[in-house]
Amino acid sequence: MLFLKASDGHELWLRKKNALPVNVVCAAKSATLSIAIQELQQGWQGKSGATLVLSIKKDKAVKADGFRLSQDGIQANTDIGILYGVYELLRRQQTTQPVENVLSNPSYELRILNHWDNLNGSVERGYAGQSIFWRKDNAFLVTANDKSRWLEYARANASVGINGSVLNNVNASPLILSADYLARAKAIADVLRPYGIKTYLSVNFSSPKITGGLPTSDPLDTAVIRWWKTKVKEIYSIIPDFGGFLVKANSEGQPGPQDFGRTHADGANMLADALKPYRGIVMWRAFVYAASDKDRAKQAYTEFVPIDGQFRDNVIIQVKNGPVDFQPREPFSPLFGAMKKTSVMPEFQVTQEYLGHSIHLVFLSSLWEECLQSDTYQEGTGSTVARCTDGSIYPQKYTAIAGVANIGLDTNWCGHDFAQANWYAFGRLAWNNQLKSEKIADEWIRLTFFESSSQNNKQASYAAEWNENFLQPVKQMMLDSREAAVNYMMPLGFHHIMSAEGHYGPGPWWAPPRVRPDWTPPYYHQADSAGVGFNRTRTGSNAVGQYHEPLASQYNDPTTCPDGLLLWFHHLPWDYKMKSGRSLWDEICYHYDKGVQQVRQFQKTWDKAQPYVDEERFIAVQRKLRSQSSNAVLWKDACLLYFQQFSRLPIPYDIERPVNNLDEMIANDMKRFR
Ligand code: GCV
């Protein structure tokens, strides 16, 4: 009988250990170093009674947050470098990795979570409860509970190297810059600081007019410039190490410099000038698209590449991984590598807006790894997205990466125990953009689930058994999970065919009159009796032309375009012959079916893993997998029956028949829009 401690998932990957004694020697003193010492004493799994020296020493090979590890100690240039070294050392001890002569430097200087948290406590695209930062009632009261949550949050972030938090939604309320909200931001910043986390705010570009009483928010207006300078000065008087602003401008109804006939560069530079004296930065989002029937996937590139080189050096353009919007699979955004004279940072979505919310088990590390390792060819072979953004190729004053957080007040933080792995993976990839998802999953499972109680240790073979019966199959499930979601949601390059209501479940039919076309699925799948897919080739929107050769030609030709992106770039007849020898229609059917089968396999994997998981987490995940499975069937039935109206071809007979009727699925979906 194994001994499994009950767990509600609150401790994340930082579960309490039976620590062995360690003697920590550290000459310097600071709040950060005290945390480092305490973590070692509470988590030491190395030789009992060992002595470990923490030393701050200048070393050119070690970057600001980096560190060296050896059996005897940790060396870094800064206190926070020491703390990161401590977390890495403990992680290595717990995951049985060697500790000898490790030199570790982060890929990105700024590793930031974006919280889409509203000031009333709700979270846009949040599936794990209310905001941990803001709330509606007693909005400005800072309680002991608040502080202890923020502290746990800070610790979890620091343990994976995250060093920045944008506290509020990019759809920003101008109220964030009022004295009361700034005071609360200061209270949060004070708790995050010892863990090396800087605080940033999203700002509304119209703030000077809305809250400042000015007649305009034109970035070239002298009163507006003065207003922002005064506001920035006030912020730094409250939060001296404030990080800077995140801005969503001229996108989805948000105000911006184009409202005044100015460019993105005019807007970003005005804010950057105000922040510059304090070493603050502006993260200016490239997620822009006008309501037009032109190809939305082309718009960010079309607006930003012509103004490359016009931005101040403390502006970073924040670019979503793909050209549309965090879909299960997209090609990488063509802006990566194309903006050669401006700092560019990737934005990933940790919260699962389009990937089944906190109901589906989808390990997103595979998606991000695919993006980071995509070759842009902008500066020859090997110009991957990772290298184009981490300073390896272009001299950027700042290097940065952002992840849209999946965190809320739920006890387990993320709504789904396995969604915690996505928070973990974002941090690990931000620290090292060359890490493999397999390694990240391996670490996370060991840290989150391995139960090294003395009772279990008595059974000599426990670790081997756990490895074979839990670690390996659960890891495989995680590694397969993203492709499974692509298969049952949007295979072969399909995108944006989800239900408009909440972006959960299928909705390929949704196109009410008067809704902007680029918000409707038929705009993206273009299904008709002749075929399916968006023609982005040279004969279509020519989005392929935004990619560097050889990609432009490769994507342009359906025989060389990767299957996974086929319908992203091509409109093809239903009987188009695929590389597999099947028709396109059959291939679509088999992909949807495969996705469903994969989730059924996940259910079996998890059920078999029961003896190795505490009851609470076992049941919680089991229930979620059931919902995922039935939702996968819904996706398959909805998409196959809907597209069959155009293909007029039979669903291959070795595939399970649909169990939902199309008219009922549509009626159910549309009911929500009345
Ligand atoms: C914060 C998508 C989401 C919006 C989000 C937007 C963005 O459109 O649906 O909720 O707004 O992206 O990234 O700005």
Side-chain angles (χ1 to χ4, degrees), residues 116-314:
W116 287 358
D117 294 19
N118 297 311
L119 302 184
N120 66 4
S122 62
V123 180
E124 182 156 350
R125 312 304 177 188
Y127 314 107
Q130 295 285 103
S131 168
I132 61 168
F133 297 127
W134 315 105
R135 64 166 167 260
K136 201 164 159 199
D137 300 325
N138 292 321
F140 306 115
L141 181 73
V142 176
T143 65
N145 270 349
D146 290 336
K147 285 193 183 172
S148 78
R149 261 271 167 167
W150 300 338
L151 191 124
E152 291 169 332
Y153 162 85
R155 176 173 178 242
N157 278 335
S159 76
V160 289
I162 291 168
N163 68 353
S165 300
V166 182
L167 303 180
N168 62 316
N169 192 354
V170 287
N171 290 327
S173 162
L175 287 179
I176 188 67
L177 297 178
S178 66
D180 284 338
Y181 283 106
L182 288 179
R184 192 166 173 89
K186 174 196 160 39
I188 299 168
D190 288 346
V191 177
L192 306 193
R193 185 171 300 113
Y195 286 89
I197 299 167
K198 275 197 179 185
T199 300
Y200 301 76
L201 295 175
S202 297
V203 293
N204 182 302
F205 201 77
S206 280
S207 298
K209 184 166 175 191
I210 302 173
T211 56
L214 299 186
T216 177
S217 295
D218 181 348
L220 301 192
D221 182 279
T222 49
V224 170
I225 296 170
R226 208 176 319 117
W227 187 89
W228 279 109
K229 284 196 167 152
T230 309
K231 185 50 79 181
V232 166
K233 192 172 172 197
E234 179 193 344
I235 297 173
Y236 278 92
S237 73
I238 300 169
I239 309 171
D241 57 349
F242 179 66
F245 294 145
L246 171 64
V247 191
K248 171 175 177 177
N250 292 119
S251 164
E252 300 187 327
Q254 292 300 318
Q258 292 175 342
D259 303 347
F260 311 95
R262 315 298 184 194
T263 68
H264 286 292
D266 292 331
N269 291 344
M270 181 272 294
L271 294 174
D273 289 343
L275 289 156
K276 183 94 179 177
Y278 310 92
R279 299 214 231 142
I281 60 160
V282 175
M283 293 167 285
W284 191 269
R285 295 176 88 228
F287 179 66
V288 294
Y289 61 101
S292 83
D293 54 8
K294 300 223 185 78
D295 184 359
R296 170 173 160 186
K298 287 179 67 182
Q299 293 191 38
Y301 182 103
T302 310
E303 279 191 41
F304 278 87
V305 170
I307 51 175
D308 184 22
Q310 295 180 18
F311 292 91
R312 300 282 191 267
D313 65 4
N314 59 332

Side-chain angles (χ1 to χ4, degrees), residues 597-609:
Q597 299 312 324
Q598 284 173 299
V599 185
R600 297 237 165 94
Q601 181 55 46
F602 300 163
Q603 291 185 274
K604 289 180 194 158
T605 299
W606 190 248
D607 284 353
K608 274 166 84 178

Side-chain angles (χ1 to χ4, degrees), residues 465-495:
E465 179 193 321
W466 183 86
N467 183 31
E468 191 181 327
N469 295 345
F470 187 82
L471 176 65
Q472 299 307 332
V474 171
K475 183 163 62 179
Q476 197 55 53
M477 166 173 77
M478 288 173 73
L479 294 174
D480 291 344
S481 62
R482 185 280 184 125
E483 203 59 43
V486 170
N487 285 334
Y488 64 74
M489 288 179 179
M490 308 188 201
L492 298 167
F494 274 128
H495 51 290

